[in-house]
Amino acid sequence: VLTLDQVGQSIVEAALDEILTTQGARWASAVAVDPTTGAVRAMATWPPYDPDRPGAVDVSTRRNRAITDMIEPGSTFKVVPMITGLTIGAFALSDSIDTNEGRATYGGYEMRDDHPIGKAPLTEVLAQSSNVGMAMLGRTLPRGPFFQTARALGFGAETRIDLPGEAPGTLKRPSTWSGTTPSSMSIGYELLATPLQLAMAYAAIANGGTLHRPYIVAERRSATGDLRWRATPEIVRTISSPVVMDSIRQALVHVVETGTGRAARVRGMSVGGKTGTALKVVNGAYQRSSTRASFAGFFPADQPSLVVVVVVDEPRGSIYAAQSAAPIFGSIARRWSELPEIKRSIPTVYADHPVEIPDVTNLPIHEAKRQLYSAGLEPRSVLSSRDTVLRTDPLPGRLVEPGTAVRLIAP
């Protein structure tokens, strides 16, 4: 007996088929896990093949890319320096960093942001996926704790899932780092990870700081149906405090609500996650026209029931994850949220009665949005230099229909 959810597996396969059919890509892979146990709820690679005719396709098509293919994770890895800094007390998410004009040079290599953000709090550095800002941040971290956090999250080691052919990924020890490694690693380069490794790292964020061993076999039964063995969740290690992980989780909600992950939003349900667009190496050099797009996220954000990682190799519709991988995640999350196990945890979304607008006055805008999403409402923010809510329209306490737009005013 497997841990796979039959309906969820179909949802994931349909979402991957849709992206390859409508936009095109070399391949795509997705994995969904329960962050509280490590149980794999769905795992798929597209395009598929007929197991009865394996010789009809190239050997690469027969790989389970979720566990065999090692990729540079790109910006989905940016949570690691964030977790490191918060854990050792090097900074707070409210601290600001000046990215100047979105350009910097490290070790003779120029790094630039597609959309410079100037001076911004670290939550915005993550939300807008500033490479320059994150590289600056990473270079301030001690090498030992940075490496240890990445290793604790499972990078550079097999997850020990009960499937054959798993790749371990790569993670350089600090003694082998070059001058560019701190900045490169901060944005998800100079290391390799499988989609499953990335999923388990985000599962640790979602569950408050515990890394689990993933598993796909739930039970073993005899030919007559008698139970012979049942899997039990296995904790590998505790990575950081729940307080730190809650801060990261809220920052990832902000990414989806206002940053590069907006295409992953689901009406009436709070979602957290991060986009990642990594250049591929072609003939020994990185090429801007050849990318791998990924999105790692979880839902519902308040009490995550599922973590999903999507990877798209050389998307043709758009090279950026915000337009390729994030919509796939959003499609999976939207359809999966209708299943009973998720639906029960977000009852207000499905209420057939009016919803009371919560009082979010004086709250940070990202927290106000989170509460409104959780209540089944649609926040709409008014651009402002303030970062806290002055008032809402309609006013708090009003009874409105689920899905009603609520303006957050912060003049």
Side-chain angles (χ1 to χ4, degrees), residues 79-95:
V79 293
V80 178
M82 287 282 202
I83 293 171
T84 304
L86 292 180
T87 300
I88 66 175
F91 51 74
L93 292 181
S94 58
D95 292 347

Side-chain angles (χ1 to χ4, degrees), residues 20-102:
L20 264 70
T21 301
T22 59
Q23 293 193 32
R26 286 187 64 242
W27 57 264
S29 183
V31 58
V33 300
D34 181 338
T36 64
T37 65
V40 177
R41 308 297 283 153
M43 182 180 284
T45 297
W46 226 250
Y49 72 96
D50 184 353
D52 292 330
R53 302 178 61 240
V57 297
D58 184 77
V59 65
S60 63
T61 304
R62 303 199 299 267
R63 292 206 303 265
N64 181 357
R65 295 185 184 274
I67 66 171
T68 64
D69 282 36
M70 300 186 297
I71 65 171
E72 287 182 299
S75 295
T76 56
F77 192 79
K78 287 176 178 175
V79 293
V80 178
M82 287 282 202
I83 293 171
T84 304
L86 292 180
T87 300
I88 66 175
F91 51 74
L93 292 181
S94 58
D95 292 347
S96 293
I97 192 167
D98 191 355
T99 65
N100 300 311
E101 297 179 353

Side-chain angles (χ1 to χ4, degrees), residues 188-256:
Y189 287 91
E190 291 197 36
L191 77 149
L192 297 172
T194 65
L196 180 61
Q197 285 177 319
L198 193 58
M200 298 316 297
Y202 271 73
I205 295 171
N207 68 32
T210 301
L211 183 70
H212 285 85
R213 183 181 73 84
Y215 63 99
I216 199 168
V217 178
E219 296 176 353
R220 294 193 183 100
R221 293 182 176 271
S222 67
T224 59
D226 295 328
L227 180 65
R228 296 291 180 82
W229 173 88
R230 176 175 287 142
T232 56
E234 180 182 333
I235 295 175
V236 179
R237 66 180 68 91
T238 298
I239 299 153
S240 188
S241 72
V243 173
V244 167
M245 291 306 194
D246 182 65
S247 296
I248 296 296
R249 192 163 60 246
Q250 295 308 319
L252 291 171
V253 170
H254 186 57
V255 173
V256 173

Side-chain angles (χ1 to χ4, degrees), residues 101-345:
E101 297 179 353
R103 292 191 177 189
T105 301
Y106 301 111
Y109 294 94
E110 184 181 57
M111 184 181 294
R112 65 176 63 185
D113 290 333
D114 290 330
H115 304 287
I117 61 173
K119 186 175 182 179
L122 297 184
T123 50
E124 287 303 311
V125 171
L126 187 67
Q128 305 306 325
S129 205
S130 168
N131 285 339
V132 172
M134 195 59 65
M136 289 178 173
L137 195 70
R139 293 180 71 85
T140 68
L141 297 173
R143 294 186 175 191
F146 192 0
F147 169 81
Q148 289 162 6
T149 300
R151 176 67 84 187
L153 283 163
F155 293 101
E158 293 179 1
T159 66
R160 297 189 297 116
I161 188 173
D162 45 351
L163 285 172
E166 182 184 15
T170 64
L171 183 65
K172 293 181 177 179
R173 292 189 174 277
S175 59
T176 67
W177 288 13
S178 69
T180 63
T181 301
S183 53
S184 295
M185 234 175 77
S186 296
I187 62 172
Y189 287 91
E190 291 197 36
L191 77 149
L192 297 172
T194 65
L196 180 61
Q197 285 177 319
L198 193 58
M200 298 316 297
Y202 271 73
I205 295 171
N207 68 32
T210 301
L211 183 70
H212 285 85
R213 183 181 73 84
Y215 63 99
I216 199 168
V217 178
E219 296 176 353
R220 294 193 183 100
R221 293 182 176 271
S222 67
T224 59
D226 295 328
L227 180 65
R228 296 291 180 82
W229 173 88
R230 176 175 287 142
T232 56
E234 180 182 333
I235 295 175
V236 179
R237 66 180 68 91
T238 298
I239 299 153
S240 188
S241 72
V243 173
V244 167
M245 291 306 194
D246 182 65
S247 296
I248 296 296
R249 192 163 60 246
Q250 295 308 319
L252 291 171
V253 170
H254 186 57
V255 173
V256 173
E257 292 178 354
T258 67
T260 59
R262 290 190 298 274
R265 289 181 294 183
V266 176
R267 180 177 177 176
M269 181 174 70
S270 185
V271 172
K274 184 70 188 76
T275 53
T277 304
L279 303 182
K280 290 180 63 177
V281 175
V282 179
N283 297 324
Y286 287 107
Q287 301 293 327
R288 287 195 62 83
S289 60
S290 183
T291 67
R292 282 197 184 96
S294 58
F295 189 91
F298 47 84
F299 58 90
D302 291 334
Q303 292 182 313
S305 299
L306 205 70
V307 169
V308 178
V309 168
V310 176
V311 177
V312 183
D313 187 59
E314 296 187 15
R316 300 191 182 104
S318 170
I319 65 171
Y320 295 105
Q323 287 83 45
S324 53
I328 300 177
F329 176 95
S331 176
I332 293 171
R334 191 160 42 251
R335 298 172 191 175
W336 208 307
S337 68
E338 290 290 345
L339 301 184
E341 62 185 270
I342 305 296
K343 202 170 184 177
R344 283 192 297 268
S345 63

Side-chain angles (χ1 to χ4, degrees), residues 353-366:
H353 52 77
V355 175
E356 181 177 340
I357 297 177
D359 187 358
V360 296
T361 306
N362 296 322
L363 290 180
I365 289 177
H366 70 86

